Amino acid sequence: MGHEIVAHTWQFDASVVAQMLSPKQLKKDVQPGTYHPIGDYDCLIDQEFVQNALAACKLPTPPTLVAAERPNYVQFLNHCVDNCESAYIVAYRKSTEKGLFGKIQKPGLHWWAGLTFFEYNKQTGDGVGGAEPVEPDFVGTRRKPDKRDQCYWAPPGPEVGILWAGEVNYKWPELIRQATTYARAMNSAVPLRLFSVVIGVNHSEKTLRFLIFHRGGLTTSEALDLKTEAGCQAVQKILFSVYLWQKPRDAGFPGFINGYDCILPDPLDLKIKLDFKVTTHLYHALSVRGRGSFVVSLTLVTPIDSTPPNDTTQSPLPNDATKSLPPNDATKLPSYNLPAQKACTTSMNAGKARSLIGPMTTSSLPQVKEASTDIKPICPTRYHEVELVITPPSTCIKKEVLTLDDLLCYPLVAKFSWPSQQKRALEPTVYNASGSDLGTPVHLMSFEVTLSDGSGWSNAYFLPTSSKARAAFSGNTSEDTFEDPDHRSMWVTVFVGDGESLENCTSALDLCECLLQAALGWLSYYVHGYLHRDISVGNILKIKDGPRERKRFSTRSLVQSLLGDYLDEKQLDASQSNTSDVSEGNLSRLEIEDSFWKDLTAALKPTSSDDQAKRQEDIVGMAKKLEALVQDLNIATMECKAFLNDCDMVAPLEDYFEKPHDGSPTGTAEFMNKPLREAMEEESPYLQSPVDDMHSLFWTALWCTLFNVNHPERSPDELEWRSKLQGDLDERDSAMNDVLKCGTRKAHSSILRDMTPLLEDWRWNLLNPMDDKWDEVWSSVKEGQADEKKLVFHQFAFRGILDFVQLFKSHKARLGAKVAEQCNKYL
């Protein structure tokens, strides 16, 4: 956890931290935008009536602090809270509707009407799956539980939920790293929160810091001296900033989703909102800093008929939008839709969903897959009970939608993430470029979350400006490693069609077919100019109730587009025109197909070297083989059963070699090949290539085999291999080698026995020769021109996918027989 924030820790004066945590709104003379420093905001804590209320409040008595005497500073914090409560009553009386922030809410109705701190120092009732249980030294909650009761990050019912966590230590670096694990747990409980606050107390220095963890790292207050009146006053002021919270936004929670219900803008009219119900948590890239991708499935809820038509806060759908599709009207269905009869049924069920929503109980919570750990995993919960609101986004990239049938007939998948400033809008641009090809998602819309004051939902006000970054950098994580402030904003990307993890595949054959289609989707992204760089179990989804209709797969337009700079387009157009003029009677279909590839090869421009010419011809030859092979396997049809998504780490290939490449490795560690993962761990430069993604596909296959949920009975060895896959490089390689050596033994699950021969061939017959060939070829062009490097990338992109498809073909009959054999057992 310390590694995530080591180069992204910033320190500010207590007065600035109070502003950061205070309710705020953009100043009237500031132009709306995404990234605004704290100076661009008016803050409630700075308003005169609030300052007067705080000044009239008595000061807390400085605590007597010694090691292990936690009750002293817990008592001190509770005194601060009591004083804040009194100050809030005064502030409420002095606030007016005409004020900049309007009349603040009545005491007892604001965000945290009750807050009490107490010593805890034991394991929480829930925690992050796969991590060691955490034991906060003290916590802040709405009420104090019985001494025997545990507190929860996400209380499953009437249990006590943790609002604040506190850590005590005599060394700031150790304290901060431990506090980061608490922030991670808070992010797990509320995956979409902008920030989490932890209190750190250094009993040796007798100082206190407020630690604000956000998507750009850690922002801390200066060390506040608890021996002085000024230090105690600063603590109380910051706590009062929190006590002033009025809305979800003030607490860092998005206002358009509460973990159970969600509203999104209508892609036909962004000023109209649509109501959804969260049905399943599909994926969460749990972290403190970074993207923090969170993926859920959503079901549209038909608005209540009694909603007043003129009520803009409850904008109804158009009258015809709530109607189900005519059973036989297939012309209204887009190419990726379900059969009309099923679409109609789904639409009618959506209309009934509103009346079924009641109090949030365990049975009505969104589903989430439990992690393989002894500790009870943090479960989904409702973040708040406040009415949902959304501001029409100022930045939206969307697919052209003519009717709302897309939404009414199918569940949706929504991905929430925090891309960096450099990668804003990159992911939706990639989806639009791929055009819903086989193995890619159907992109509906993507938008950057905008707040009511016109600012973006970003972490910018927790960060220093570029000119002050070096001065604000804090070395409290023990290393003086400095990087530029990491500005991030929330984006929402919505896809049509529900999905589930490949861990839910029904058989080895099913898993391989899904992986193959995802590989074809990877190739589509690549040919359209983007290297994915993050293939993993969380980024491939199997379509629920699939397959769904999609465009037929073909490599012709792909390879023609990829080699566009090397083709004589006039010659190619003339050749294709001549072929199209020949009647079917004079030229067979096979001859027409053969003519395309011959014409494409003939249209290649002369090159400066024989090696480049050979690579061009090799790419055309592999594209031809791949198309024929996919058609022969009957997977080039319009039926799509899985797709590769999560494209926010793609690298545009257009200037991949022309511009200086920072060489920063990207991806998910468990699915990286060895050189890439070593580079990431050593923080050394590394240029990722298509070969790296092919390795990631292999590791994803192994992971999905061992973690398949439809084969729950596992041998002790399999359970050990699961654990090792999540370990370091040596542990992961050990698990792989053991699987390849003895995975076919009868003691193991059937899916592992079925997959092992394929995995063995893949690892030793495909990836090793590819690695050797890659090293040889790349070394010959490493110092060459960009066009030489691109051709090598193109060559290995097609080679990697072709090798995998050929591998699948060699095992398909065997895997199909296993499925038939299994079916016969149940007949």
Side-chain angles (χ1 to χ4, degrees), residues 42 172 242 249 412 455 498:
D42 287 312
W172 280 116
V242 174
R249 167 191 173 179
L412 301 181
S455 63
D498 204 353

Side-chain angles (χ1 to χ4, degrees), residues 757-819:
L758 182 145
L759 292 170
E760 187 174 7
D761 286 349
W762 195 352
R763 182 67 183 91
W764 302 114
N765 298 341
L766 295 175
L767 295 182
N768 278 359
M770 177 178 284
D771 287 344
D772 294 340
K773 189 65 176 177
W774 166 260
D775 291 339
E776 175 189 341
V777 174
W778 183 250
S779 62
S780 67
V781 299
K782 193 172 183 179
E783 305 301 326
Q785 299 298 314
D787 59 342
E788 294 179 286
K789 297 176 182 179
K790 281 184 180 179
L791 273 178
V792 171
F793 264 48
H794 300 343
Q795 186 180 21
F796 278 85
F798 271 95
R799 176 175 178 171
I801 302 302
L802 178 60
D803 283 351
F804 179 54
V805 177
Q806 289 174 328
L807 172 71
F808 174 72
K809 181 181 180 181
S810 67
H811 287 268
K812 184 181 180 182
R814 178 183 62 83
L815 296 177
K818 293 291 184 180
V819 172

Side-chain angles (χ1 to χ4, degrees), residues 35-36 87 112 117 122 124 170 172 204 257 318 326 337 342 363 378 391 445 470 579 663 702 750 752 761 800:
Y35 307 108
H36 290 279
W112 274 355
F117 289 95
K122 60 182 177 182
T124 57
Y170 68 98
W172 280 116
S204 175
I257 185 170
N337 276 2
K342 185 159 190 177
S363 60
I378 295 173
T391 303
M445 66 175 174
R470 173 57 73 174
T579 303
L702 179 56
S750 60
L752 179 61
D761 286 349

Side-chain angles (χ1 to χ4, degrees), residues 143-158:
R143 62 179 176 85
K144 192 172 181 178
D146 184 86
K147 289 184 179 180
R148 294 170 297 176
D149 291 344
Q150 291 178 302
C151 293
Y152 290 77
W153 301 107

Side-chain angles (χ1 to χ4, degrees), residues 141-298:
T141 64
R142 293 188 188 277
R143 62 179 176 85
K144 192 172 181 178
D146 184 86
K147 289 184 179 180
R148 294 170 297 176
D149 291 344
Q150 291 178 302
C151 293
Y152 290 77
W153 301 107
E159 291 83 358
V160 175
I162 298 173
L163 306 179
W164 293 76
E167 180 67 10
V168 183
N169 202 305
Y170 68 98
K171 292 182 179 180
W172 280 116
E174 291 181 10
L175 188 155
I176 288 175
R177 285 195 292 271
Q178 183 61 41
T180 311
T181 67
Y182 305 155
R184 180 178 60 180
M186 293 180 187
N187 284 355
S188 181
V190 184
L192 301 180
R193 68 191 309 155
L194 173 61
F195 65 89
S196 305
V197 182
V198 179
I199 296 178
V201 178
N202 186 311
H203 65 74
S204 175
E205 298 177 0
K206 296 180 174 54
T207 55
L208 179 150
R209 292 180 191 267
F210 288 88
L211 310 175
I212 307 173
F213 296 90
H214 51 85
R215 285 297 158 194
L218 169 63
T219 294
T220 82
S221 68
E222 59 188 343
L224 305 175
D225 192 342
L226 297 180
K227 303 186 301 294
T228 67
E229 187 175 285
C232 295
Q233 188 176 30
V235 172
Q236 186 161 285
K237 181 177 181 179
I238 294 175
L239 279 174
F240 193 48
S241 285
V242 174
Y243 212 79
L244 290 169
W245 288 352
Q246 308 284 301
K247 303 174 182 178
R249 167 191 173 179
D250 302 333
F253 294 179
F256 60 90
I257 185 170
N258 60 17
Y260 185 63
D261 304 297
C262 177
I263 57 175
L264 296 174
D266 181 346
L268 292 177
D269 185 346
L270 299 180
K271 296 179 180 179
I272 296 176
K273 73 177 184 66
L274 298 174
D275 295 281
F276 294 89
K277 179 181 177 182
V278 179
T279 54
T280 310
H281 290 186
L282 297 173
Y283 176 71
H284 185 200
L286 189 56
S287 62
V288 172
R289 186 178 72 86
R291 292 173 294 151
S293 300
F294 180 56
V295 185
V296 300
S297 58
L298 301 173

